[in-house]
Amino acid sequence: MGETFYITTPIYYVNDVPHIGHAYTTVAADVAARYHRLKGEDTYFLTGTDEHGGKVAATAAEKGMEPQAWTDQISQRFREVWPRLDISNDDFIRTTEERHIKPVQAFLQHLYDKGEIYEGEYEGPYCQSCEAFYKESELVDGGCPVHKRPVERLKERNYFFRLSAHAGWLLNEYYAQNPCPVQPDSRLNECVSFIKSGLQDVSISRPSLEWGIPLPWNPEHVIYVWIEALQNYITALGYPDGDKFKRYWPAVHLVGKEIVRFHAVIWPAMLHAAGVEPPKMIFGHGWLLVGGEKMSKTNLTGIHPFELVDAFGVDAYRYYFLREVAFGQDGNFSWESMEARYTSELANGIGNLASRVVAMIGAYFDAAVPAPSAPETDQDATLREVCEASVRDYTTAMDALAFHQALEAVDKIVRRANGYIVETAPWVIAKDPTQRDRLARVLFSSAETLRILAVLLSPFMPGACERLWGMLGSSSPLSHQVLPAAGEWGGLRPGSATHKGESLFPRLEQK
């Protein structure tokens, strides 16, 4: 069946509506999914919502609603955002669905039967906002390291997973023998340090909650939300016997850095204990910051994606965050930086390039792509070589989820192509009838560069690239292009009928 690629976002907690922090992860996962489809791989992309836990029940109560009615409402808000952002997910899992609940109970029953789960007593710090237990050493000034708020001190009878028994396997096999199980390296180092500091068994149940999945062997306990939520990545595929599970697992998980510990320590250990292959990779990206603070409703920085889409368009929205921020590191968002990227790289960069090239082909060759009959000059060769080198750099970066580096490689092509047009001045060549073949070579090379740009940028800006593809008059659909062949020089067919169309990236209104 060829190569398969399975990528997931975290499932988003339904205590509030989506903001651009949620969209950042989802767009990144979508770009990765589209890229692997572009390589011809059988790709599956999952996202969804995390709907159990005390925080959800408390929020629903504040709103005067039942938990299920609240989760139905907020989950739908997430479903409405993703199509507007051109998210191409293959599935959307909700943890209140039967297809999730039953396999979760079966999974934990299996661990219990194997002796991997036991009853004990927990006492220690607990953050209600994270719905997470912490070690004393992880607290910052006595508070939650994520929310900077005081923690609760819980003492209750729980069931525990024997996480400590899997420390050696995590360090010496999963981390040591896999190419890149946790990325970037800084996240891997954090996980190694966490384990070496003394891995403790982890609580998997709460006795005092009602909104959650009951333990199958003791219904008076509800499964701790993090333990059941992690399993969405396999329950959505029909674990344990579903065809999709057999076909696509293991996954690449994209998550925020604050939840790497759950995904890269607890989750692989649980899978290992159950005899299931662990994830292929956990990539913990950084935070989007506004004014130096993590974007969130708590910090009053929860910007809704539509605010930016309405102003800049969906393609510019998708481009900006993965261009501006090195994926894996924290990055600051500002309206001003988004305007600057849009104007310099999209409107004045690829947008201007497309408009000029297509307009000149229309004016000088009756809108038909000319054949490159003249010999290649040093200027032509340099443009071609920049494209070829940038395609290689792009592929290397995309395989490593280094989206900002991939877009830097693309921008090199755009800058060289715009420079090439200025240097060759086709409008001057067009005045000399004896230079007709030379003019054809220049405009073919420019249009071929646009073709390659449309292919490379299609995972990031699918709508704009479809429009660019239409401007070039290519007979084969953009969706049928497959790397690496589609990135090789010379794929544009002479004679293709170009169409000027509207500007790919109109100038922003000055306000």
Side-chain angles (χ1 to χ4, degrees), residues 11-69:
I11 49 173
Y12 300 113
Y13 209 44
V14 293
N15 63 314
D16 199 27
V17 297
H19 56 64
I20 62 177
H22 303 116
Y24 178 55
T25 315
T26 310
V27 168
D30 184 68
V31 169
R34 288 177 181 271
Y35 167 70
H36 283 269
R37 293 185 194 118
L38 184 60
K39 292 205 299 179
E41 296 178 11
D42 180 8
T43 299
Y44 203 79
F45 170 24
L46 174 70
T47 188
T49 44
D50 180 3
E51 304 183 7
H52 288 126
K55 189 163 57 172
V56 169
T59 303
E62 289 173 10
K63 305 294 182 182
M65 300 175 69
E66 290 297 317
Q68 187 64 62

Short mmCIF file of all heavy atoms in Angstrom, two decimals, residues 11-69:
data_model
loop_
_atom_site.label_atom_id
_atom_site.label_comp_id
_atom_site.label_asym_id
_atom_site.label_seq_id
_atom_site.Cartn_x
_atom_site.Cartn_y
_atom_site.Cartn_z
N ILE A 11 -6.34 16.94 21.15
CA ILE A 11 -7.76 17.26 21.14
C ILE A 11 -7.97 18.43 22.10
O ILE A 11 -7.42 18.46 23.20
CB ILE A 11 -8.63 16.04 21.49
CG1 ILE A 11 -8.13 15.32 22.76
CG2 ILE A 11 -8.68 15.08 20.32
CD1 ILE A 11 -9.06 14.22 23.22
N TYR A 12 -8.75 19.41 21.65
CA TYR A 12 -8.81 20.69 22.34
C TYR A 12 -9.89 20.68 23.42
O TYR A 12 -11.00 20.18 23.21
CB TYR A 12 -9.06 21.81 21.34
CG TYR A 12 -7.95 21.88 20.31
CD1 TYR A 12 -8.19 21.58 18.97
CD2 TYR A 12 -6.65 22.20 20.69
CE1 TYR A 12 -7.17 21.61 18.04
CE2 TYR A 12 -5.61 22.24 19.76
CZ TYR A 12 -5.89 21.94 18.44
OH TYR A 12 -4.87 21.97 17.51
N TYR A 13 -9.55 21.25 24.55
CA TYR A 13 -10.41 21.22 25.71
C TYR A 13 -11.58 22.19 25.51
O TYR A 13 -11.38 23.33 25.05
CB TYR A 13 -9.60 21.60 26.95
CG TYR A 13 -10.12 20.98 28.22
CD1 TYR A 13 -10.49 19.65 28.26
CD2 TYR A 13 -10.24 21.73 29.38
CE1 TYR A 13 -10.97 19.06 29.42
CE2 TYR A 13 -10.71 21.16 30.56
CZ TYR A 13 -11.07 19.82 30.56
OH TYR A 13 -11.54 19.25 31.71
N VAL A 14 -12.78 21.76 25.87
CA VAL A 14 -13.98 22.53 25.54
C VAL A 14 -14.44 23.45 26.67
O VAL A 14 -15.63 23.69 26.84
CB VAL A 14 -15.15 21.60 25.12
CG1 VAL A 14 -14.85 20.91 23.82
CG2 VAL A 14 -15.45 20.57 26.22
N ASN A 15 -13.48 23.99 27.41
CA ASN A 15 -13.87 24.95 28.44
C ASN A 15 -14.13 26.33 27.85
O ASN A 15 -14.71 27.19 28.50
CB ASN A 15 -12.82 25.03 29.55
CG ASN A 15 -11.49 25.54 29.05
OD1 ASN A 15 -11.01 25.10 28.01
ND2 ASN A 15 -10.89 26.46 29.78
N ASP A 16 -13.69 26.55 26.59
CA ASP A 16 -13.95 27.84 25.95
C ASP A 16 -13.78 27.71 24.44
O ASP A 16 -13.30 26.69 23.94
CB ASP A 16 -13.02 28.93 26.50
CG ASP A 16 -13.56 30.33 26.23
OD1 ASP A 16 -14.79 30.48 26.12
OD2 ASP A 16 -12.77 31.27 26.12
N VAL A 17 -14.14 28.78 23.72
CA VAL A 17 -14.12 28.76 22.25
C VAL A 17 -12.68 28.78 21.73
O VAL A 17 -11.76 29.18 22.44
CB VAL A 17 -14.91 29.96 21.69
CG1 VAL A 17 -16.37 29.87 22.08
CG2 VAL A 17 -14.31 31.28 22.16
N PRO A 18 -12.47 28.39 20.47
CA PRO A 18 -11.12 28.35 19.92
C PRO A 18 -10.49 29.73 19.74
O PRO A 18 -11.19 30.71 19.50
CB PRO A 18 -11.32 27.67 18.55
CG PRO A 18 -12.77 27.80 18.23
CD PRO A 18 -13.48 27.86 19.53
N HIS A 19 -9.17 29.78 19.89
CA HIS A 19 -8.41 31.00 19.59
C HIS A 19 -7.23 30.62 18.70
O HIS A 19 -7.06 29.47 18.32
CB HIS A 19 -7.97 31.72 20.87
CG HIS A 19 -7.15 30.87 21.82
ND1 HIS A 19 -5.90 30.37 21.50
CD2 HIS A 19 -7.41 30.43 23.08
CE1 HIS A 19 -5.42 29.68 22.52
NE2 HIS A 19 -6.32 29.70 23.50
N ILE A 20 -6.40 31.61 18.35
CA ILE A 20 -5.36 31.34 17.35
C ILE A 20 -4.24 30.44 17.88
O ILE A 20 -3.45 29.92 17.09
CB ILE A 20 -4.78 32.62 16.73
CG1 ILE A 20 -4.11 33.51 17.77
CG2 ILE A 20 -5.86 33.38 15.99
CD1 ILE A 20 -3.46 34.74 17.17
N GLY A 21 -4.19 30.25 19.21
CA GLY A 21 -3.25 29.26 19.73
C GLY A 21 -3.66 27.86 19.31
O GLY A 21 -2.82 27.04 18.92
N HIS A 22 -4.97 27.55 19.39
CA HIS A 22 -5.45 26.26 18.89
C HIS A 22 -5.20 26.14 17.39
O HIS A 22 -4.77 25.10 16.89
CB HIS A 22 -6.96 26.11 19.13
CG HIS A 22 -7.39 26.26 20.56
ND1 HIS A 22 -8.20 27.27 21.00
CD2 HIS A 22 -7.12 25.50 21.66
CE1 HIS A 22 -8.42 27.15 22.29
NE2 HIS A 22 -7.77 26.08 22.72
N ALA A 23 -5.49 27.21 16.67
CA ALA A 23 -5.37 27.18 15.21
C ALA A 23 -3.92 27.03 14.78
O ALA A 23 -3.65 26.45 13.71
CB ALA A 23 -5.96 28.45 14.61
N TYR A 24 -2.98 27.52 15.58
CA TYR A 24 -1.56 27.40 15.23
C TYR A 24 -1.16 25.93 15.08
O TYR A 24 -0.56 25.53 14.08
CB TYR A 24 -0.74 28.08 16.34
CG TYR A 24 0.76 28.02 16.18
CD1 TYR A 24 1.39 28.48 15.03
CD2 TYR A 24 1.56 27.51 17.22
CE1 TYR A 24 2.77 28.45 14.91
CE2 TYR A 24 2.93 27.48 17.10
CZ TYR A 24 3.54 27.94 15.95
OH TYR A 24 4.91 27.91 15.83
N THR A 25 -1.51 25.12 16.07
CA THR A 25 -1.19 23.70 16.00
C THR A 25 -1.93 23.03 14.84
O THR A 25 -1.36 22.19 14.14
CB THR A 25 -1.59 22.99 17.32
OG1 THR A 25 -1.16 23.77 18.42
CG2 THR A 25 -0.99 21.60 17.40
N THR A 26 -3.19 23.38 14.66
CA THR A 26 -4.01 22.72 13.66
C THR A 26 -3.54 23.05 12.25
O THR A 26 -3.49 22.17 11.38
CB THR A 26 -5.49 23.09 13.84
OG1 THR A 26 -5.84 22.91 15.22
CG2 THR A 26 -6.39 22.22 12.99
N VAL A 27 -3.20 24.30 12.00
CA VAL A 27 -2.67 24.68 10.68
C VAL A 27 -1.35 23.97 10.42
O VAL A 27 -1.11 23.47 9.32
CB VAL A 27 -2.52 26.20 10.57
CG1 VAL A 27 -1.71 26.58 9.32
CG2 VAL A 27 -3.89 26.88 10.51
N ALA A 28 -0.49 23.89 11.44
CA ALA A 28 0.79 23.20 11.27
C ALA A 28 0.57 21.73 10.90
O ALA A 28 1.22 21.20 10.00
CB ALA A 28 1.62 23.30 12.54
N ALA A 29 -0.35 21.07 11.60
CA ALA A 29 -0.65 19.68 11.29
C ALA A 29 -1.23 19.53 9.90
O ALA A 29 -0.92 18.59 9.16
CB ALA A 29 -1.61 19.11 12.33
N ASP A 30 -2.07 20.49 9.51
CA ASP A 30 -2.66 20.45 8.17
C ASP A 30 -1.59 20.61 7.09
O ASP A 30 -1.62 19.91 6.07
CB ASP A 30 -3.71 21.54 8.03
CG ASP A 30 -4.42 21.48 6.69
OD1 ASP A 30 -5.17 20.51 6.46
OD2 ASP A 30 -4.20 22.38 5.86
N VAL A 31 -0.66 21.52 7.31
CA VAL A 31 0.42 21.72 6.35
C VAL A 31 1.25 20.44 6.21
O VAL A 31 1.60 20.02 5.09
CB VAL A 31 1.31 22.91 6.76
CG1 VAL A 31 2.59 22.96 5.94
CG2 VAL A 31 0.53 24.21 6.62
N ALA A 32 1.54 19.80 7.33
CA ALA A 32 2.29 18.54 7.28
C ALA A 32 1.50 17.46 6.54
O ALA A 32 2.06 16.72 5.73
CB ALA A 32 2.62 18.07 8.70
N ALA A 33 0.20 17.38 6.82
CA ALA A 33 -0.63 16.37 6.14
C ALA A 33 -0.67 16.63 4.64
O ALA A 33 -0.52 15.70 3.83
CB ALA A 33 -2.05 16.39 6.72
N ARG A 34 -0.87 17.88 4.25
CA ARG A 34 -0.91 18.21 2.82
C ARG A 34 0.44 17.93 2.15
O ARG A 34 0.48 17.50 0.99
CB ARG A 34 -1.30 19.68 2.64
CG ARG A 34 -2.77 19.97 2.95
CD ARG A 34 -3.07 21.46 2.81
NE ARG A 34 -4.45 21.79 3.13
CZ ARG A 34 -5.46 21.78 2.26
NH1 ARG A 34 -5.22 21.46 1.00
NH2 ARG A 34 -6.67 22.10 2.64
N TYR A 35 1.52 18.20 2.86
CA TYR A 35 2.85 17.92 2.28
C TYR A 35 3.05 16.43 2.04
O TYR A 35 3.55 16.02 0.99
CB TYR A 35 3.93 18.46 3.22
CG TYR A 35 5.32 17.97 2.88
CD1 TYR A 35 5.98 18.40 1.73
CD2 TYR A 35 5.97 17.05 3.70
CE1 TYR A 35 7.25 17.95 1.42
CE2 TYR A 35 7.23 16.59 3.39
CZ TYR A 35 7.87 17.03 2.25
OH TYR A 35 9.12 16.57 1.93
N HIS A 36 2.65 15.60 2.99
CA HIS A 36 2.83 14.16 2.81
C HIS A 36 1.90 13.61 1.73
O HIS A 36 2.27 12.66 1.02
CB HIS A 36 2.66 13.44 4.14
CG HIS A 36 3.87 13.58 5.02
ND1 HIS A 36 4.92 12.67 5.00
CD2 HIS A 36 4.23 14.54 5.90
CE1 HIS A 36 5.85 13.06 5.85
NE2 HIS A 36 5.46 14.19 6.41
N ARG A 37 0.72 14.22 1.58
CA ARG A 37 -0.11 13.84 0.43
C ARG A 37 0.57 14.26 -0.88
O ARG A 37 0.51 13.55 -1.88
CB ARG A 37 -1.49 14.51 0.54
CG ARG A 37 -2.33 14.01 1.70
CD ARG A 37 -3.73 14.62 1.67
NE ARG A 37 -4.42 14.40 2.94
CZ ARG A 37 -4.83 15.36 3.76
NH1 ARG A 37 -4.65 16.64 3.43
NH2 ARG A 37 -5.44 15.07 4.89
N LEU A 38 1.22 15.44 -0.85
CA LEU A 38 1.95 15.93 -2.03
C LEU A 38 3.07 14.98 -2.41
O LEU A 38 3.45 14.87 -3.58
CB LEU A 38 2.50 17.33 -1.72
CG LEU A 38 3.23 18.09 -2.83
CD1 LEU A 38 2.34 18.31 -4.05
CD2 LEU A 38 3.74 19.42 -2.30
N LYS A 39 3.60 14.26 -1.43
CA LYS A 39 4.64 13.25 -1.71
C LYS A 39 4.04 11.92 -2.14
O LYS A 39 4.78 10.96 -2.37
CB LYS A 39 5.51 13.03 -0.47
CG LYS A 39 6.37 14.23 -0.11
CD LYS A 39 7.60 13.81 0.68
CE LYS A 39 7.25 13.15 1.97
NZ LYS A 39 8.48 12.73 2.72
N GLY A 40 2.73 11.85 -2.24
CA GLY A 40 2.08 10.62 -2.68
C GLY A 40 1.85 9.61 -1.58
O GLY A 40 1.53 8.45 -1.86
N GLU A 41 1.98 10.03 -0.32
CA GLU A 41 1.81 9.10 0.79
C GLU A 41 0.34 9.00 1.21
O GLU A 41 -0.42 9.97 1.12
CB GLU A 41 2.66 9.54 1.99
CG GLU A 41 4.15 9.50 1.70
CD GLU A 41 5.00 9.99 2.86
OE1 GLU A 41 4.45 10.17 3.97
OE2 GLU A 41 6.21 10.22 2.67
N ASP A 42 -0.05 7.83 1.67
CA ASP A 42 -1.38 7.57 2.18
C ASP A 42 -1.47 8.21 3.57
O ASP A 42 -0.92 7.70 4.54
CB ASP A 42 -1.61 6.07 2.25
CG ASP A 42 -2.98 5.70 2.76
OD1 ASP A 42 -3.83 6.60 2.93
OD2 ASP A 42 -3.21 4.50 3.01
N THR A 43 -2.16 9.36 3.65
CA THR A 43 -2.08 10.22 4.83
C THR A 43 -3.42 10.29 5.55
O THR A 43 -4.47 10.36 4.91
CB THR A 43 -1.64 11.64 4.40
OG1 THR A 43 -0.34 11.56 3.80
CG2 THR A 43 -1.60 12.59 5.57
N TYR A 44 -3.35 10.30 6.89
CA TYR A 44 -4.55 10.43 7.72
C TYR A 44 -4.29 11.49 8.77
O TYR A 44 -3.24 11.50 9.42
CB TYR A 44 -4.89 9.10 8.39
CG TYR A 44 -6.33 8.97 8.80
CD1 TYR A 44 -7.31 8.65 7.86
CD2 TYR A 44 -6.72 9.15 10.12
CE1 TYR A 44 -8.65 8.53 8.23
CE2 TYR A 44 -8.05 9.04 10.50
CZ TYR A 44 -9.02 8.72 9.54
OH TYR A 44 -10.34 8.61 9.90
N PHE A 45 -5.25 12.41 8.91
CA PHE A 45 -5.08 13.58 9.77
C PHE A 45 -6.27 13.67 10.72
O PHE A 45 -7.42 13.75 10.30
CB PHE A 45 -4.97 14.82 8.88
CG PHE A 45 -5.03 16.16 9.58
CD1 PHE A 45 -4.69 16.31 10.92
CD2 PHE A 45 -5.38 17.29 8.87
CE1 PHE A 45 -4.74 17.54 11.54
CE2 PHE A 45 -5.44 18.54 9.48
CZ PHE A 45 -5.12 18.66 10.82
N LEU A 46 -5.96 13.66 12.03
CA LEU A 46 -6.99 13.63 13.08
C LEU A 46 -6.90 14.87 13.96
O LEU A 46 -5.82 15.29 14.36
CB LEU A 46 -6.81 12.39 13.96
CG LEU A 46 -7.72 12.27 15.18
CD1 LEU A 46 -9.16 12.00 14.76
CD2 LEU A 46 -7.21 11.18 16.13
N THR A 47 -8.07 15.42 14.27
CA THR A 47 -8.18 16.44 15.32
C THR A 47 -9.48 16.16 16.07
O THR A 47 -10.17 15.19 15.79
CB THR A 47 -8.13 17.87 14.75
OG1 THR A 47 -8.06 18.82 15.82
CG2 THR A 47 -9.35 18.17 13.88
N GLY A 48 -9.81 16.99 17.06
CA GLY A 48 -11.03 16.73 17.81
C GLY A 48 -11.10 17.54 19.08
O GLY A 48 -10.36 18.51 19.27
N THR A 49 -12.02 17.14 19.97
CA THR A 49 -12.22 17.87 21.23
C THR A 49 -12.23 16.93 22.42
O THR A 49 -12.73 15.81 22.36
CB THR A 49 -13.55 18.67 21.20
OG1 THR A 49 -14.59 17.87 20.64
CG2 THR A 49 -13.40 19.93 20.39
N ASP A 50 -11.67 17.43 23.51
CA ASP A 50 -11.51 16.73 24.79
C ASP A 50 -12.64 17.24 25.70
O ASP A 50 -12.66 18.41 26.06
CB ASP A 50 -10.13 17.08 25.34
CG ASP A 50 -9.82 16.42 26.67
OD1 ASP A 50 -10.66 15.64 27.15
OD2 ASP A 50 -8.74 16.70 27.22
N GLU A 51 -13.57 16.36 26.10
CA GLU A 51 -14.84 16.86 26.61
C GLU A 51 -15.19 16.42 28.04
O GLU A 51 -16.28 16.74 28.52
CB GLU A 51 -15.96 16.45 25.64
CG GLU A 51 -15.68 16.97 24.23
CD GLU A 51 -16.78 16.68 23.24
OE1 GLU A 51 -17.85 16.18 23.65
OE2 GLU A 51 -16.57 16.92 22.04
N HIS A 52 -14.31 15.71 28.71
CA HIS A 52 -14.60 15.28 30.08
C HIS A 52 -13.77 16.08 31.08
O HIS A 52 -12.93 16.89 30.70
CB HIS A 52 -14.31 13.79 30.25
CG HIS A 52 -15.32 12.91 29.56
ND1 HIS A 52 -14.96 11.93 28.66
CD2 HIS A 52 -16.67 12.88 29.63
CE1 HIS A 52 -16.05 11.33 28.21
NE2 HIS A 52 -17.09 11.88 28.79
N GLY A 53 -14.01 15.83 32.37
CA GLY A 53 -13.19 16.44 33.41
C GLY A 53 -13.93 17.45 34.26
O GLY A 53 -14.98 17.99 33.88
N GLY A 54 -13.34 17.74 35.40
CA GLY A 54 -13.95 18.64 36.35
C GLY A 54 -14.08 20.06 35.84
O GLY A 54 -15.05 20.76 36.16
N LYS A 55 -13.10 20.52 35.08
CA LYS A 55 -13.16 21.89 34.59
C LYS A 55 -14.31 22.10 33.63
O LYS A 55 -14.98 23.14 33.64
CB LYS A 55 -11.82 22.24 33.92
CG LYS A 55 -11.68 23.72 33.57
CD LYS A 55 -10.25 24.10 33.29
CE LYS A 55 -9.62 23.30 32.17
NZ LYS A 55 -8.29 23.83 31.78
N VAL A 56 -14.58 21.11 32.78
CA VAL A 56 -15.71 21.20 31.85
C VAL A 56 -17.02 21.23 32.63
O VAL A 56 -17.92 22.04 32.35
CB VAL A 56 -15.70 20.03 30.86
CG1 VAL A 56 -17.01 19.96 30.08
CG2 VAL A 56 -14.54 20.16 29.89
N ALA A 57 -17.14 20.34 33.62
CA ALA A 57 -18.37 20.30 34.42
C ALA A 57 -18.59 21.62 35.15
O ALA A 57 -19.72 22.13 35.22
CB ALA A 57 -18.30 19.14 35.42
N ALA A 58 -17.50 22.20 35.68
CA ALA A 58 -17.61 23.47 36.40
C ALA A 58 -18.01 24.60 35.47
O ALA A 58 -18.84 25.45 35.81
CB ALA A 58 -16.29 23.79 37.10
N THR A 59 -17.41 24.64 34.29
CA THR A 59 -17.75 25.69 33.32
C THR A 59 -19.19 25.57 32.88
O THR A 59 -19.91 26.57 32.77
CB THR A 59 -16.82 25.60 32.10
OG1 THR A 59 -15.45 25.71 32.52
CG2 THR A 59 -17.11 26.72 31.11
N ALA A 60 -19.64 24.34 32.62
CA ALA A 60 -21.04 24.13 32.23
C ALA A 60 -21.98 24.61 33.33
O ALA A 60 -23.01 25.26 33.05
CB ALA A 60 -21.27 22.65 31.93
N ALA A 61 -21.64 24.31 34.57
CA ALA A 61 -22.48 24.74 35.69
C ALA A 61 -22.56 26.26 35.78
O ALA A 61 -23.63 26.84 36.04
CB ALA A 61 -21.95 24.16 37.00
N GLU A 62 -21.42 26.93 35.55
CA GLU A 62 -21.40 28.40 35.55
C GLU A 62 -22.34 28.96 34.48
O GLU A 62 -22.92 30.03 34.66
CB GLU A 62 -19.98 28.90 35.30
CG GLU A 62 -19.02 28.69 36.45
CD GLU A 62 -17.60 29.06 36.07
OE1 GLU A 62 -17.42 29.65 34.98
OE2 GLU A 62 -16.67 28.77 36.85
N LYS A 63 -22.46 28.25 33.36
CA LYS A 63 -23.30 28.70 32.25
C LYS A 63 -24.76 28.25 32.41
O LYS A 63 -25.60 28.53 31.56
CB LYS A 63 -22.77 28.17 30.93
CG LYS A 63 -21.32 28.51 30.64
CD LYS A 63 -21.11 29.99 30.45
CE LYS A 63 -19.64 30.29 30.10
NZ LYS A 63 -19.40 31.75 29.94
N GLY A 64 -25.05 27.51 33.50
CA GLY A 64 -26.39 27.01 33.71
C GLY A 64 -26.78 25.92 32.73
O GLY A 64 -27.96 25.78 32.37
N MET A 65 -25.78 25.11 32.31
CA MET A 65 -26.02 24.07 31.31
C MET A 65 -25.55 22.72 31.84
O MET A 65 -24.69 22.64 32.73
CB MET A 65 -25.27 24.39 30.00
CG MET A 65 -25.68 25.70 29.36
SD MET A 65 -24.66 26.08 27.90
CE MET A 65 -25.24 24.82 26.77
N GLU A 66 -26.10 21.66 31.25
CA GLU A 66 -25.60 20.33 31.52
C GLU A 66 -24.27 20.15 30.77
O GLU A 66 -24.08 20.74 29.69
CB GLU A 66 -26.60 19.26 31.06
CG GLU A 66 -27.86 19.21 31.90
CD GLU A 66 -27.56 18.83 33.35
OE1 GLU A 66 -26.74 17.92 33.55
OE2 GLU A 66 -28.16 19.45 34.25
N PRO A 67 -23.34 19.34 31.31
CA PRO A 67 -22.04 19.17 30.65
C PRO A 67 -22.15 18.74 29.18
O PRO A 67 -21.43 19.25 28.33
CB PRO A 67 -21.33 18.12 31.50
CG PRO A 67 -21.93 18.27 32.85
CD PRO A 67 -23.37 18.63 32.61
N GLN A 68 -23.05 17.81 28.88
CA GLN A 68 -23.14 17.33 27.50
C GLN A 68 -23.61 18.45 26.56
O GLN A 68 -23.09 18.60 25.45
CB GLN A 68 -24.08 16.14 27.39
CG GLN A 68 -24.09 15.49 26.00
CD GLN A 68 -22.76 14.87 25.64
OE1 GLN A 68 -22.28 13.96 26.29
NE2 GLN A 68 -22.12 15.38 24.58
N ALA A 69 -24.57 19.24 27.01
CA ALA A 69 -25.06 20.34 26.17
C ALA A 69 -23.96 21.37 25.94
O ALA A 69 -23.80 21.91 24.83
CB ALA A 69 -26.27 21.00 26.83
#
